[in-house]
Structures are given as structure tokens and as C-alpha cells.
């Protein structure tokens, strides 16, 4: 395979640039380093499916879909202090909407995707309104209800959804002619493209005035209220966007699996997304990606006899992380980084002391 | 009319189960201000205890006593090992504790099939048998009568405990004002442990009452949501509310399922869910709760 | 200080080198004072001087370092409920009644550490004699009573445990002057009849010094002056700052 020779090259280049980026005495202005970093990341993402076999690419696509949903939940939790146990339901709403519109109504994929996102948003707002008007973690309660209800609704309306038997997505999304891409590669690129848009949007949202008011709300609702932030409306909008992201993740996930059934959108899906967020670290943008890798990519590679322990391991991880690293993995990295810097500073200070003595 | 009565009876039986579990949720909420998402799974687990004790040859009531004791220990252990250390660290932020209860939900659910009691559904006797009587043209099963009697005795026990004992007074004191309670000599942490134990003990009764044919790890998933609906309707800080709310939710969802085709037996959860949304929207403190809920 | 931590025969509470604060904020700086058995001691000080913090650290509500000896034992680090069982009762600032319980239940809960049921009922009855308002409202939720009524209840409840040492944080807060006077008279009675020692923080320095044997003046977490009630009443600085004359 041609990738073999290319891989060492890419790794080598990655390694040296990483080393350059991570040392303080880097060459070139900051913007240039940043640009090189992003270009490298883009190149890396582009390169993966040209090298790895279909099974890995598919698993990565799945991971990215979950990461988008986790990004949504992360936005909610990190920036409003609320928690949703129902993002699996929004994931399912997105998946079913896309499947039904494309398969039964002959819609094109882009339009179906937009409607899937919009519907998740609307359901989020309807469900979130009663809970977000009052103080307390009532959103968790309401979304637990939604998560439990969703698979039942799928079964109840099996004419529409295919019920427990499931429903196939037809026609599947095919790569454009002449692109030379395989199905899994094309779907991977589409998913990555949508994911990048979602991540950039959320990043801008968080850094905007809205983002600052979110932080204000999380940290002190009374103060935020006196500052003139309409708390209920802002929270509701955040929850809507959060649900929408989960819906987008769900809709994207069907592109590859091309199949939906009631069993895939039970409450454990919601908890999986929650686990991804807690692993990745609440209130960080990169966290959901790490979390999704830990929740989807790693367990997919576990041996059969360990797979039945997956829920127990997730539970242990969830509880363990709350104990050990309330900020999740990203928080852990930051803390370790901080401690390392403190240690370095200490050593430097000690060296100074030695020389002066 | 007799049909209406028939489904009301069934609804009352289901409602009594939801009420039992809602009592457990309310006990936790009152003492700690928390929603315990693991309440249902704790009940599922201790129902396994009952099942194992029963299969070991104990008569059902004795097996239930064993399960209730096991449930108490499970609840108390969860408080001591998980909830207490996390709440000490989270400084009033309920989010980490809620995440822990969700982790417990997932963990107990995943652990149950891995336990020595086996992966498959364990057969379990129908409580109070399959007999029935006729009443006003409808069938009232022994099970419905028995379940309601159990609920009535739970209410009596709860009332005696909370109103007539020193322990109950102390528990109520801690629920209302933990700091002042510690100043009069009440060991607050021990009371919280007892509260979690009690809640899980009541949950065990709900677990046993909700068995339909056998025990497996899905036993309490949907009852939990119904119980949350019951507690929301009754008010999270009112045991009486939990009982009334449970019965209303049970009857309401049964009747809606029967008379509204769109809902049907499959989607019985829908009326309960809509009830949660409406109560939060219109009367967030519930029917019997004190208006502590504030708007943001 | 003479003796440096050595326990005198009638010393009930001895605080030495007490440091306490809230997170990074240190409030108490090496505080030291004593309360003898059966003695009424008053702590005076401006708002924010650390009076409440002192009582909270002594009764185990706040982590602290240094030394707190009660009845000859080192009790620093013990929980409030353990100290209550040892005979220390604390009426926190702002009352701290248990608002969801009735007046009667509050009083009975005050006797949580006691086992003598007959005498508990007698004590409850005697408090209804002392504060007839409480008797009239015995089955009413404590939270529905007026601020002054709740203050009476909080003090009565603390005394229900028959403490050896009563910590009172601004008992006059929210009480009418006449009621405050009655309250202090009652505290003096209890002190005389039962030998209950009292450590009281009070803004009404005149009144407090009139019943107290000794007093301490606290400023920014340290003892500024101390002396007998009489000495403090005649101290010019104290008179200016706290006695308003
Ligand atoms: N919970 C808290 N967190 C942080 N700082 C606090 C807290 N409580 C008190 N403080 C600070 O500690 C200092 C002492 O407070 P303290 O309540 O002991 O004062 P005080 O002498 O009782 O005053 P007052 O007469 O107003 O009751 C003050 O500067 C106050 O700001
Ligand atoms: Mg004070």
C-alpha cells in the first residue's frame, strides 16, 4: 500500500511540528504557527481514510457523530450547569427524521439533514421549557422521561419508523462520480466536514457575548439576571442548540449504518453521551472528541468477553472521574500541565537559589 | 362504566407501585435535596435479593424482609461510599452527585446480569396470587387489593416513623436544617445514611410489587419514570404527595392508554411524561409540596 | 498568659492560639480566652471582628487550628453533635430554628442527647412558662413565627440539652428592648440556678456587661482588651466604642 511509506513521513512531520509548537521558543509569529497547526490537522484528518481499512474509518465516523452529540451536551452542561439524560433521544430524532424523509419521501440528503436538525431543536425547546424556567436540575428529570419515551414511541409508530424490526436508509449516500472515493471514505469526509462546522460554530458561540452571558448564568444566576440576561430564554436557546447538535450527530450516524431500529436509541445511548462528556471534561471544546474516542472507538475494539462489562466499566469511569478529576480528562491535562509548570518554576527558583548562595 | 372501573383498578395497582418508589425518591429529596436517578436500579437489585432468598426456601414475606434489609444496606452503602465523599467535595453543587447517581444507575443495571444469580430472568411468584373478586361489574384482583394494602401499611409505617419516633424527628430536623440539627447533637451524616437506607428499603417493596412474571435488570426502568412523575405531581418534598401522585399517575396513564388510541398500551409512559411537563410548567411545587421551587 | 495551657480546677473552656477562616481568608489569628465553670463571659467587637467565627470554630462548625479544651479535653476537630453531647450548646447568629418543625418539636429535638423522658416534658413545660408565646404556638411551624419568637425558641431549644456551656451569638438580634432585658434576666437566672456557663456575643454591651463576670474585646480576629465586666465598663476606649457614652 502506498500509505506505508507516506505514513512515516506524515508521522515524522507531525512529530517535528508538534515539537516546534510545544516549545516556547518556537520559530515564526504565533498566527503562522497556528495556521501550520490547523493545516496539519486538516491534512491528518484527510489522510486517515486513505490509509486505514474500512472498519477503522467506520468506527471513526461513528466516533465523530457521537462527538458532535457530546459537544451539544457539553455546551449545555459546561455553560449552564444543567444536565440532560436525554441526548440519546435527540440523537434518535435526528436519525429517524433523516431516514424517513430520504427513504419514504424521496428527499435529498442536505434538506433532510436540515429538517432533522431543526426538529431536534424544536423538541428540545418544547421539552426544556418547563424545566428550565425553574431552579434545580429538573432538566435531568424531564430528559430522563424523554429518553425512556423515545424507543417506546418508535415501537408504537412502527408504520412510520419500522419499530423493533428497524428501517433501512434508501437510497444510500454515494460518493460523487469520478471522485474515486469509497463509500466509507466519502461518508467519513462528509461527517468530518459537518463536525468541523459544528465545532467552529460552538467555539464562536462560546466566545461571543452570548457565551459570556452563559458563563455568567452558570456562575451566578441572580447576578446574571440583574445584568439583564434573559435567563430562561438564553438557557432554552442553549438547550435547543444542544439538542440540535445531538440530532445532527444522530442524522450523520445513519449515513454509514444505513439502518435505524428502536433498540439503538435506548437510554444507554443517552448515558453514553453523558459518559463521553464527563470523560472529555465539562466546559471544554476539545473534550467531547476525546470522550467520544473513549466511549466508541475503544470499546469497539474490546474482546467479546469484556464487552458485556461495558456498562459497568462506563459506570466506574463516570463515578471514578467525578471523584478524581471533576473536570474530566481535559481538566486533568490542564491540571497536570499546571503542576508541571509549577514544578518547573520551583526547580528554576531552586537553581537560582543555589547559584546565588 | 364497568370498563372504566376495571382500568381504574388496574391503574390503582400500578399506581401503588409508583407511589412506593416515589416515597423513596421523596425521602432522598427531603433529606438531601437530590433527585436519585439510581433509586429504581437499587430497587431492582434488592428485588434480586428477595428472589434469591425466596428460592433458597424462605416464605415470600420473610424473603421480602431479607430484601428490605439488603436494600437498606445497599442504600446506606451508596451514601457512605459514593454520595457523602462527593458532596463533601462538590460544595453545594448538586451536579457531581447527580452524575454519581446516574453512574450508579448504569453500574447497577450492568452489574445485575453479571451477578451469581444469573443472567436470565429469574422466575418470581405473582404477589398475592392470581385470584380476584367481582365489584360493581368489574374484576378486582387479589393482587390489586394486596398491593393497595401494602401501600397503606407503608404509609402507616412512614407516619409512625416520622411523627412518633425520635429517629423520625431527627430525620425531619436534618431535612429542614442540617446545621441547626447538628448543633442539637444530631449526627447529620449518620442520619443521611439512614435516609438513603430507608429510601432503598421502601424501594425494595416497590420492586417486589412491580414484578410481572420474573426479575431482570429492566424491572424498574419504566417504573422510575412513572415514580418521578408521581413525585413531581405530588411535590418532591411530600410523602403524602408521593402516594396521591402515584395513584393519580397510575390511574391516569392506564385510562389514557385505554381510551386514547394514539397512546395505547405501548405508550403508557406518554401521559405520565406530559404530566411531568405540565406540572413543572403550571405548579412546579406539585400538589402538596411547599413552594420552595423558584423561577429563575 | 500564666500557666500556658495548664488547666485550672474550675476552668471549663480554654481556647489557645485559635486560627480559623474561610478558604484563603484568615479571620482568627491566634485567639485565646477562657470561660470558667458557671461563669458568664461576654465577647464584644465591631461588625466583622470575627465574633461569630470564634463561636463557630469553638463549637466545631468551622475547621480551625490551635487548641480548644472543653472540660479538660482537647475537642478541636470534633463535630458539633459530639460537642453537644459533651455539654456545649450553640445558638447561632440569626437563630437557626428548624423552620419545618413545630415549636414543640424544636424543643424536643433540643433534648436529642437526653434520655430522661419525663424530665424532658417537664423542661418543655417550664419553657412554655418562661415564654408564654411559645406555649401558645406550640403546634405551629417554627418558620411561621416572628423573628423575636424564633429567637426565644432557639435559645430555649439550646437549653433543652441542659448544657454546661451555652454559646449565644447576638441573642438580642431582632428582639424588642423589653424582651431583650427579660431574656438576659432569664439567662442570669439559668446561670444562677443551674450553674450553666455562658459565652455570649452581644452588641448591646451595656446589658451584656451587666450580667457578665468578665469580657473580651475582639478586633480583627485578636483579643484587644479583656477584664472583668466592671473594668470594661470603666475602660474609656471600650466605653467609646461599644457603650456609646
Ligand atoms: N462564610 C464566609 N465566607 C467568607 N468570609 C466570611 C464568611 N463569614 C464571615 N466571613 C468574614 O469573616 C470576617 C468575620 O466575620 P464574623 O461573622 O465572624 O464577624 P462578626 O464579628 O460576627 O460580625 P457581626 O457583628 O456583623 O456579626 C468578616 O470579615 C467576614 O467578611
Ligand atoms: Mg456575628
Amino acid at each position: 500500500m502506498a500509505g506505508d511509506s507516506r505514513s512515516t513521513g506524515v508521522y515524522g512531520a507531525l512529530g517535528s511540528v508538534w515539537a516546534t509548537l510545544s516549545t516556547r521558543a518556537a520559530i515564526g509569529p504565533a498566527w503562522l504557527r497556528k495556521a501550520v497547526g490547523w493545516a496539519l490537522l486538516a491534512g491528518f484528518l484527510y489522510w486517515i481514510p486513505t490509509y486505514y481499512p474500512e472498519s477503522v474509518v467506520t468506527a471513526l465516523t461513528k466516533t465523530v457523530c457521537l462527538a458532535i452529540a457530546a459537544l451539544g451536551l457539553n455546551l449545555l452542561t459546561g455553560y449552564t450547569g444543567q444536565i440532560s439524560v436525554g441526548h440519546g433521544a435527540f440523537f434518535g430524532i435526528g436519525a429517524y427524521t433523516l431516514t424517513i424523509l430520504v427513504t419514504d419521501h424521496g428527499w435529498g440528503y442536505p434538506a433532510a439533514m436540515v429538517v432533522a436538525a431543526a426538529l431536534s431543536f424544536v423538541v428540545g425547546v418544547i421539552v426544556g421549557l418547563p424545566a428550565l424556567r425553574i431552579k434545580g436540575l429538573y432538566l435531568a428529570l424531564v430528559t430522563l422521561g424523554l429518553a425512556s419515551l423515545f424507543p417506546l414511541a418508535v415501537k408504537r409508530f412502527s408504520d412510520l419508523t419500522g419499530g423493533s424490526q428497524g428501517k433501512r436508509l434508501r437510497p444510500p449516500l454515494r460518493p460523487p462520480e469520478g471522485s474515486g472515493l469509497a463509500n466509507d471514505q466519502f461518508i467519513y469526509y462528509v461527517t468530518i466536514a459537518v463536525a468541523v462546522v459544528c465545532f467552529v460554530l460552538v467555539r464562536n458561540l462560546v466566545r461571543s457575548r452570548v457565551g459570556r452571558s452563559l458563563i455568567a448564568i452558570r456562575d451566578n444566576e441572580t447576578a446574571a439576571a440583574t445584568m439583564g440576561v434573559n435567563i430562561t430564554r438564553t438557557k432554552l436557546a442553549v438547550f435547543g442548540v444542544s439538542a440540535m447538535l445531538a440530532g445532527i450527530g444522530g442524522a450523520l450516524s445513519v449515513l454509514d449504518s444505513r439502518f435505524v431500529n428502536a433498540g439503538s436509541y435506548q437510554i444507554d445511548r443517552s448515558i453514553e453521551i453523558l459518559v463521553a462528556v464527563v470523560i472529555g471534561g465539562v466546559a471544554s471544546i476539545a473534550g467531547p472528541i476525546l470522550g467520544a474516542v473513549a466511549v466508541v472507538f475503544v470499546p469497539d475494539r474490546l474482546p467479546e468477553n469484556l464487552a458485556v462489562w461495558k456498562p459497568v466499566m462506563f459506570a466506574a469511569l463516570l463515578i471514578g472521574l467525578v471523584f478524581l478529576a471533576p473536570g474530566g480528562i481535559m481538566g486533568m491535562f490542564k491540571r497536570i500541565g499546571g503542576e508541571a509548570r509549577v514544578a518547573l518554576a520551583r526547580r528554576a527558583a531552586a537553581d537560582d537559589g543555589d547559584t546565588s548562595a | 362504566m364497568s370498563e372504566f372501573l376495571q382500568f381504574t383498578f388496574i391503574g390503582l395497582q400500578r399506581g401503588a407501585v409508583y407511589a412506593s418508589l416515589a416515597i423513596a425518591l421523596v425521602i432522598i429529596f427531603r433529606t438531601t435535596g437530590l433527585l436519585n436517578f439510581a433509586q429504581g436500579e437499587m430497587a431492582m437489585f434488592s428485588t434480586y435479593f428477595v428472589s434469591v432468598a425466596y428460592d433458597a426456601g424462605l416464605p415470600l414475606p420473610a424473603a421480602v424482609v431479607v430484601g428490605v434489609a439488603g436494600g437498606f444496606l445497599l442504600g446506606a452503602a451508596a451514601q457512605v461510599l459514593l454520595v457523602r465523599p462527593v458532596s463533601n467535595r462538590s460544595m453545594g453543587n448538586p451536579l457531581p452527585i447527580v452524575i454519581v447517581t446516574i453512574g450508579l444507575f448504569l453500574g447497577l443495571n450492568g452489574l445485575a446480569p453479571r451477578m451469581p444469580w444469573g443472567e436470565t430472568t429469574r422466575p418470581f411468584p405473582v404477589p398475592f396470587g392470581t385470584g380476584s373478586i367481582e365489584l360493581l361489574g368489574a374484576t378486582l384482583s387479589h393482587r390489586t387489593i394486596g398491593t393497595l394494602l401494602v401501600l397503606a401499611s407503608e404509609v402507616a409505617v412512614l407516619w409512625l416513623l416520622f411523627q412518633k419516633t425520635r429517629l423520625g424527628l431527627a430525620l425531619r430536623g436534618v431535612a429542614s436544617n442540617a446545621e441547626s440539627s447538628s448543633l442539637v447533637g444530631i449526627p447529620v451524616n449518620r442520619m443521611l445514611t439512614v435516609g438513603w437506607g430507608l429510601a432503598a428499603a421502601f424501594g425494595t417493596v416497590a420492586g417486589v410489587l412491580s414484578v410481572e412474571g420474573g426479575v431482570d435488570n429492566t424491572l424498574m426502568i419504566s417504573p422510575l419514570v412513572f415514580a418521578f412523575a408521581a413525585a413531581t405531581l405530588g411535590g418532591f418534598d411530600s410523602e403524602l404527595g408521593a402516594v396521591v401522585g402515584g395513584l393519580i399517575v397510575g390511574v391516569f396513564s392506564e385510562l389514557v392508554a385505554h381510551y386514547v388510541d394514539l397512546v395505547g398500551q405501548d405508550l403508557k409512559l406518554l401521559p405520565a411524561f406530559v404530566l411531568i411537563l405540565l406540572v413543572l410548567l403550571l405548579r412546579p411545587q406539585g400538589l402538596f409540596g411547599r413552594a420552595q421551587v423558584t423561577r429563575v | 498568659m500564666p500557666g500556658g495551657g495548664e488547666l485550672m480546677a474550675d476552668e471549663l473552656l480554654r481556647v489557645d492560639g485559635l486560627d480559623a477562616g474561610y478558604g484563603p481568608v484568615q479571620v482568627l489569628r491566634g485567639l485565646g480566652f477562657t470561660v470558667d465553670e458557671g461563669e458568664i463571659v461576654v465577647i464584644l467587637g465591631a461588625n466583622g471582628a470575627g465574633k461569630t467565627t470564634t463561636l463557630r470554630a469553638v463549637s466545631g462548625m468551622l475547621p480551625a487550628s490551635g487548641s480548644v479544651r472543653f472540660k479538660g479535653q482537647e475537642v478541636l476537630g470534633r463535630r458539633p453533635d459530639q460537642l453537644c453531647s459533651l455539654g456545649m450548646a450553640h445558638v447561632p447568629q440569626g437563630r437557626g430554628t428548624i423552620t419545618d418543625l413545630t415549636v414543640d418539636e424544636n424543643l424536643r429535638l433540643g433534648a436529642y442527647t437526653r434520655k430522661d423522658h419525663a424530665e424532658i416534658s417537664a423542661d418543655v413545660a417550664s419553657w412554655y412558662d418562661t415564654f408564654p408565646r411559645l406555649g401558645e404556638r406550640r403546634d405551629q411551624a417554627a418558620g411561621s413565627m416572628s423573628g423575636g419568637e424564633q429567637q426565644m425558641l432557639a435559645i430555649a431549644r439550646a437549653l433543652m440539652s441542659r448544657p454546661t456551656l451555652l454559646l449565644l451569638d447576638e441573642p438580642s438580634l431582632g428582639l424588642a428592648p423589653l424582651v431583650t432585658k427579660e431574656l438576659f434576666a432569664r439567662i442570669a437566672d439559668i446561670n444562677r440556678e443551674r450553674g450553666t456557663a455562658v459565652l455570649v456575643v452581644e452588641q448591646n454591651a451595656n446589658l451584656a456587661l451587666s450580667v457578665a463576670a468578665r469580657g473580651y474585646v475582639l478586633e480583627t480576629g485578636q483579643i484587644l482588651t479583656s477584664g472583668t465586666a466592671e473594668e470594661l465598663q470603666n475602660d474609656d476606649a471600650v466605653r467609646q466604642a461599644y457603650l456609646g457614652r
Side-chain angles (χ1 to χ4, degrees), chain A:
Chain A
M1 213 190 255
D4 280 6
S5 59
R6 248 189 301 164
S7 69
T8 41
V10 170
Y11 279 132
L14 257 181
S16 64
V17 173
W18 182 251
T20 319
L21 287 176
S22 50
T23 48
R24 288 280 158 204
I27 8 145
W31 67 264
L32 187 64
R33 267 182 287 144
K34 228 177 179 171
V36 170
W38 284 115
L40 229 97
L41 183 66
F44 183 61
L45 289 175
Y46 170 79
W47 166 80
I48 290 176
T50 65
Y51 175 66
Y52 283 104
E54 183 175 344
S55 67
V56 174
V57 175
T58 307
L60 277 176
T61 306
K62 222 168 120 190
T63 305
V64 173
C65 294
L66 196 90
I68 299 174
L71 176 74
L73 182 54
N74 202 29
L75 181 71
L76 176 78
T77 305
Y79 296 97
T80 67
Q82 290 280 345
I83 199 173
S84 159
V85 202
H87 267 45
F90 297 116
F91 201 80
I93 289 172
Y96 273 96
T97 308
L98 183 98
T99 309
I100 291 167
L101 288 179
V102 170
T103 308
D104 297 342
H105 301 274
W107 284 43
Y109 276 92
M113 185 68 90
V114 168
V115 173
L119 193 62
S120 312
F121 180 91
V122 170
V123 175
V125 168
I126 292 172
V127 169
L129 177 65
L132 292 172
R133 278 167 72 246
I134 50 180
K135 253 198 165 83
L137 295 177
Y138 291 97
L139 189 66
L141 164 61
V142 168
T143 49
L144 171 78
L146 186 70
S148 314
L149 196 59
F150 184 75
L152 300 177
V154 167
K155 281 187 199 143
R156 173 71 188 80
F157 303 108
S158 55
D159 290 349
L160 190 67
T161 63
S164 320
Q165 315 272 262
K167 190 183 188 78
R168 266 189 195 292
L169 176 70
R170 261 188 282 252
L173 183 62
R174 296 230 181 269
E177 268 174 56
S179 69
L181 292 172
N183 269 345
D184 63 296
Q185 291 172 322
F186 177 61
I187 287 166
Y188 165 87
Y189 286 133
V190 169
T191 308
I192 288 282
V194 177
V196 166
V197 172
C198 291
F199 274 81
V200 168
L201 277 181
V202 168
R203 186 167 161 273
N204 290 346
L205 180 71
V206 167
R207 292 190 180 176
S208 68
R209 209 167 57 88
V210 180
R212 285 199 300 279
S213 64
L214 289 182
I215 302 278
I217 289 174
R218 187 195 60 188
D219 292 346
N220 189 343
E221 290 195 347
T222 324
T226 53
M227 270 161 50
V229 180
N230 183 333
I231 291 181
T232 303
R233 204 188 304 160
T234 312
K235 276 187 174 177
L236 209 53
V238 172
F239 185 57
V241 171
S242 171
M244 183 185 80
L245 287 166
I248 291 174
L252 286 171
S253 73
V254 212
L255 297 184
D256 200 82
S257 66
R258 291 189 228 151
F259 182 71
V260 283
N261 76 332
S264 330
Y265 303 96
Q266 310 269 6
I267 185 154
D268 29 346
R269 171 72 59 155
S270 296
I271 295 184
E272 209 171 76
I273 299 174
L274 181 68
V275 174
V277 168
V278 174
I279 290 177
V282 166
S284 79
I285 297 283
I289 301 171
L290 284 173
V293 169
V295 166
V296 176
F297 200 79
V298 176
D300 265 11
R301 288 174 156 56
L302 282 180
E304 197 63 26
N305 57 339
L306 275 182
V308 290
W309 288 93
K310 193 170 107 170
V312 179
M313 288 190 286
F314 278 0
L317 213 57
L318 205 56
I319 295 172
L321 280 171
V322 171
F323 266 78
L324 301 175
I329 286 185
M330 284 309 282
M332 219 142 66
F333 279 163
K334 274 180 205 155
R335 209 171 40 226
I336 291 169
E339 276 161 17
R341 267 198 294 282
V342 170
L344 279 175
R346 279 226 190 89
R347 200 182 308 153
D351 289 349
D352 284 355
D354 286 347
T355 45
S356 65

Side-chain angles (χ1 to χ4, degrees), chain B residues 10-288:
Chain B
I10 298 176
L12 283 174
Q13 183 200 315
R14 298 258 152 78
V17 174
Y18 309 151
S20 299
L21 193 58
I23 288 172
L25 293 171
V26 164
I27 292 174
I28 301 270
F29 186 87
R30 288 236 314 191
T31 46
T32 57
L34 289 173
L35 306 180
N36 179 11
F37 286 89
Q39 202 72 65
E41 297 315 282
M42 284 157 76
M44 175 273 290
F45 231 75
S46 48
T47 307
Y48 267 109
F49 298 159
V50 179
S51 159
V52 169
Y54 179 74
D55 289 349
L58 286 184
L60 190 56
V64 171
V65 171
V66 170
V68 165
F72 185 95
L73 292 179
L74 184 66
Q79 200 275 339
V80 172
L81 300 177
L82 302 177
V83 176
R84 189 192 296 176
V86 171
S87 41
N88 284 347
R89 262 184 252 190
S90 54
M91 310 215 229
N93 179 3
L95 192 63
I97 310 170
V98 169
I99 292 179
V100 165
T101 70
I102 292 170
L104 208 53
F105 171 103
L106 183 66
L108 290 173
N109 189 272
L111 206 56
R114 309 269 81 79
M115 296 295 282
W117 53 55
E119 199 168 336
T120 49
T121 303
R122 283 181 80 91
F124 194 79
V126 176
F128 311 109
T130 49
S132 63
I133 59 169
E134 293 297 313
L135 186 73
L136 304 167
T139 309
L140 181 58
S141 69
H142 290 171
R143 183 170 183 189
T144 303
I145 300 170
T147 305
L148 288 171
L149 287 177
V150 169
L151 179 65
S153 41
E154 282 186 274
V155 171
V157 167
L158 210 58
W159 185 81
L160 285 174
L161 176 72
F162 278 115
Q163 299 299 325
K164 295 291 161 194
T165 69
R166 180 167 167 267
L167 173 68
L169 185 59
L171 282 168
R172 282 158 59 214
V174 170
S176 170
N177 186 335
E179 188 166 86
S180 288
S181 299
S182 79
L183 288 178
V184 298
I186 301 171
V188 172
N189 271 332
R190 203 177 307 158
M191 289 299 146
L192 295 179
T193 307
V194 170
W196 276 74
L198 271 179
F202 277 93
T204 309
V205 177
V208 172
L209 291 177
S210 62
V211 175
E212 304 280 352
V215 183
D216 64 24
N217 71 337
T218 62
L219 183 72
M220 299 308 281
I221 303 257
S222 98
L224 178 71
V225 182
F226 283 108
F228 268 127
T232 310
L233 178 62
F236 266 101
D237 55 354
S238 163
E239 279 90 359
L240 175 67
V243 171
V244 176
L247 294 176
I248 294 177
V249 166
V251 172
F252 178 68
S253 52
E254 206 63 45
L255 290 177
V256 170
H258 182 67
Y259 287 106
V260 181
D261 275 348
L262 179 82
V263 174
Q265 292 300 308
D266 290 343
L267 220 48
K268 234 180 257 173
L269 203 57
L270 183 65
F273 179 66
V274 171
L275 215 54
I276 292 180
L277 294 184
L278 288 179
V279 173
L280 289 182
L281 202 58
L282 304 174
R283 196 183 156 81
Q285 73 273 33
L287 295 176
F288 296 91

Side-chain angles (χ1 to χ4, degrees), chain C residues 131-175:
Chain C
F131 296 127
R133 307 287 292 218
L134 298 185
E136 289 160 22
R137 287 163 170 67
R138 67 178 71 186
D139 291 321
Q140 191 176 319
S144 67
M145 301 211 302
S146 82
E149 288 163 349
Q150 287 193 45
Q151 186 66 281
M152 295 175 203
L153 176 59
I155 293 166
R157 190 190 60 200
L159 284 163
M160 280 299 297
S161 67
R162 296 212 172 164
T164 345
L165 173 65
L166 178 67
L167 309 180
L168 283 176
D169 199 343
E170 304 206 16
S172 70
L173 201 73
L175 292 185

Side-chain angles (χ1 to χ4, degrees), chain C residues 47-48 50-53 93 169-170 201 203:
Chain C
N47 293 127
K51 307 181 295 294
T52 298
T53 308
Q93 186 168 8
D169 199 343
E170 304 206 16
V201 164
Q203 296 291 352

Side-chain angles (χ1 to χ4, degrees), chain B residues 162-163 166-167 169-170 172-177 179-191 290 292, chain C residues 56 59 61 79-81 84-85 88-90 92 96-101 105 108-110 112-115 157:
Chain B
F162 278 115
Q163 299 299 325
R166 180 167 167 267
L167 173 68
L169 185 59
R172 282 158 59 214
V174 170
S176 170
N177 186 335
E179 188 166 86
S180 288
S181 299
S182 79
L183 288 178
V184 298
I186 301 171
V188 172
N189 271 332
R190 203 177 307 158
M191 289 299 146
R290 247 161 300 199
Q292 282 158 340
Chain C
R56 288 171 61 90
S59 72
M61 293 168 76
R79 296 190 312 262
D81 57 287
C84 184
S85 308
M88 189 191 289
H90 181 173
T97 44
I98 298 176
T99 51
D100 288 347
L101 302 188
E105 287 170 339
R108 286 178 187 283
L109 206 54
Y112 184 81
T113 52
R114 290 167 59 186
K115 304 274 186 290
R157 190 190 60 200

